Amino acid sequence: MAFFKEELMNVKGFAFDVDGVLSRIIQPLTAEGDPVRTANIRDGFAMVHAIRTGYPLAIITGGNTTEVRKRYQKLGVTHLYMGSLDKITFFEDFLKKTGLKESEIMYMGDDLPDYLVMKRVGVPVCPNDAVTEIKSVSKYISDRNGGEGCVRDVIEQVLRAQGKWIDPEKLHWSSF
């Protein structure tokens, strides 16, 4: 685990899947048969802090709903890629737009569409309930399930390691 902690120092950007990472995998369905995505408020808080601290952050998801788009736009995510299982193309666009290297990205995925991207990034991570193939390529498996704070877990670890996490004694709510 010490090796993983050292690798956190190299992270300069984040990318996350939605279903199974930012949202729980068991979800009610609408009358149209679409899943109703969940959102973890603590994940969102950590994402806002990371963005405001200067970390580029991408959402790369096969889903394509107005609700998900609005949620992450409100949090300040400017690299929002939706509607394709070909996540490599989206990932390469994120790298091009940010100027970051693959080795500087932490990517969190949970299922097979995330596999190829996770093989390329410097720090692949996953929630506790990810599928076996994703766990096998992850350098860290959160103790939290998808949609239950796993994103907060990894963002907080990176920012703490780099001395950029929030000091509650100096927290000014006007900055959020």
Side-chain angles (χ1 to χ4, degrees):
M1 192 60 73
F3 183 66
F4 173 72
K5 296 290 186 185
E6 292 171 13
E7 290 190 28
L8 298 180
M9 299 304 292
N10 299 324
V11 175
K12 294 183 180 176
F14 298 95
F16 299 101
D17 179 30
V18 174
D19 296 326
V21 173
L22 285 161
S23 181
R24 298 179 70 191
I25 58 172
I26 298 175
Q27 303 161 351
L29 300 176
T30 66
E32 293 77 30
D34 296 318
V36 177
R37 271 97 178 167
T38 59
N40 185 291
I41 300 304
R42 291 184 182 150
D43 285 350
F45 182 81
M47 293 170 71
V48 168
H49 181 59
I51 292 166
R52 291 185 178 173
T53 305
Y55 293 85
L57 193 147
I59 300 295
I60 303 176
T61 181
N64 193 8
T65 65
T66 302
E67 296 81 8
V68 169
R69 182 176 305 282
K70 284 181 182 179
R71 163 75 178 153
Y72 296 106
Q73 285 175 335
K74 281 184 178 183
L75 293 181
V77 177
T78 56
H79 305 284
L80 192 54
Y81 302 97
M82 301 178 69
S84 175
L85 294 179
D86 176 16
K87 295 186 178 192
I88 290 291
T89 302
F90 290 156
F91 176 66
E92 290 173 347
D93 186 68
F94 176 58
L95 293 176
K96 180 180 168 187
K97 287 180 176 172
T98 61
L100 295 173
K101 300 174 192 164
E102 293 178 356
S103 62
E104 298 171 324
I105 304 295
M106 174 182 276
Y107 182 94
M108 181 175 263
D110 73 303
D111 207 349
L112 296 179
D114 303 305
Y115 185 86
L116 293 176
V117 174
M118 292 180 71
K119 292 284 288 183
R120 289 181 54 178
V121 300
V123 186
V125 297
C126 70
N128 188 51
D129 58 346
V131 299
T132 302
E133 295 85 353
I134 296 302
K135 286 181 175 182
S136 73
V137 297
S138 293
K139 293 185 177 180
Y140 173 76
I141 300 170
S142 176
D143 62 348
R144 297 175 183 123
N145 288 339
E148 297 178 4
C150 60
V151 170
R152 165 71 176 256
D153 174 30
V154 296
I155 290 175
E156 186 173 337
Q157 285 192 57
V158 169
L159 273 61
R160 280 188 187 278
Q162 296 181 10
K164 297 178 181 176
W165 187 244
I166 301 162
D167 178 348
E169 298 290 329
K170 298 177 183 174
L171 182 62
H172 297 284
W173 289 106
S174 61
S175 64
F176 280 92

